Amino acid sequence: MRAFVLLLVALLAAPAAAGAQSGASRSAMTSVGTETGLPIPRFVTLRAREVNVRTGPGVRYPIDWVFQRPNLPVEVVAEFDTWRKIRDFEGTEGWVHQSMLSGRRTVIVITAVRLLRSEPAESSPPMARLEPGVIAWLEACRADWCEVEVAGIDGWLRRGDVWGVRADESVEE
């Protein structure tokens, strides 16, 4: 009986130890995707006019909603096989197929009307007023400013006025 109890304790402890080990591996992998080797999280862009967002990583999972905004920036927060778990600027998450994502970057104007400036400085003359929800192509970021292109107009926005680029991220042309 004592041998049975020890065996039972050993069997019960094994999954816990395996879970702790995979938890340690999981936390070590939070900075690199298991499928691509790319950073996690990272920003990408929706490629298509309609993108099905599923409750899990595969076609057997139901469609939770459909994005209908091409070029919307999203954040990849997890990877599984050919599926990417994404988060939008409002915090909504779901799974999409990798073919629906592009590495070409965009940003979205958040919270208020923002001025697109000709140079990366508050004193620079404004070139356009951008409403919340406007999507701009990201070209580069230096310090607190990002160079973007909107409707054929190149200019600069404060990094904190857009979503789709990290505060500490360097983006080169």
Side-chain angles (χ1 to χ4, degrees):
M1 180 69 163
R2 181 178 166 102
F4 175 74
V5 170
L6 289 175
L7 178 60
L8 184 58
V9 168
L11 288 174
L12 291 174
Q21 185 178 15
S22 66
S25 299
R26 216 174 295 127
S27 65
M29 289 189 286
T30 55
S31 61
V32 177
T34 57
E35 304 298 327
T36 62
L38 296 172
I40 298 284
R42 69 179 175 277
F43 288 103
V44 296
T45 301
L46 296 182
R47 181 184 301 253
R49 290 204 178 276
E50 289 190 357
V51 177
N52 293 335
V53 181
R54 297 181 178 272
T55 60
V59 293
R60 70 182 181 278
Y61 291 94
I63 296 171
D64 208 10
W65 71 93
V66 179
F67 276 119
Q68 296 185 328
R69 191 142 186 222
N71 304 322
L72 182 73
V74 293
E75 186 176 31
V76 174
V77 296
E79 298 179 347
F80 179 79
D81 194 27
T82 59
W83 294 85
R84 305 296 175 258
K85 186 174 187 180
I86 62 168
R87 176 185 309 134
D88 72 5
F89 70 101
E90 295 175 316
T92 306
E93 294 185 351
W95 292 87
V96 300
H97 193 269
Q98 67 182 6
S99 66
M100 295 292 105
L101 303 174
S102 168
R104 182 149 185 232
R105 302 274 299 273
T106 60
V107 294
I108 187 167
V109 176
I110 54 174
T111 66
V113 172
R114 304 298 180 183
L115 296 177
L116 183 67
R117 301 197 177 268
S118 60
E119 297 295 328
E122 289 292 336
S123 59
S124 177
M127 302 172 63
R129 292 170 48 92
L130 304 180
E131 298 284 331
V134 167
I135 295 174
W137 292 103
L138 181 63
E139 296 180 4
C141 289
R142 286 191 242 148
D144 292 337
W145 292 88
C146 291
E147 186 177 14
V148 300
E149 185 266 318
V150 181
I153 302 171
D154 287 322
W156 293 85
L157 289 169
R158 282 201 158 285
R159 187 186 294 251
D161 293 343
V162 295
W163 187 88
V165 64
R166 297 206 169 316
D168 61 346
E169 182 180 12
S170 174
V171 179
E172 303 292 325
E173 293 182 71

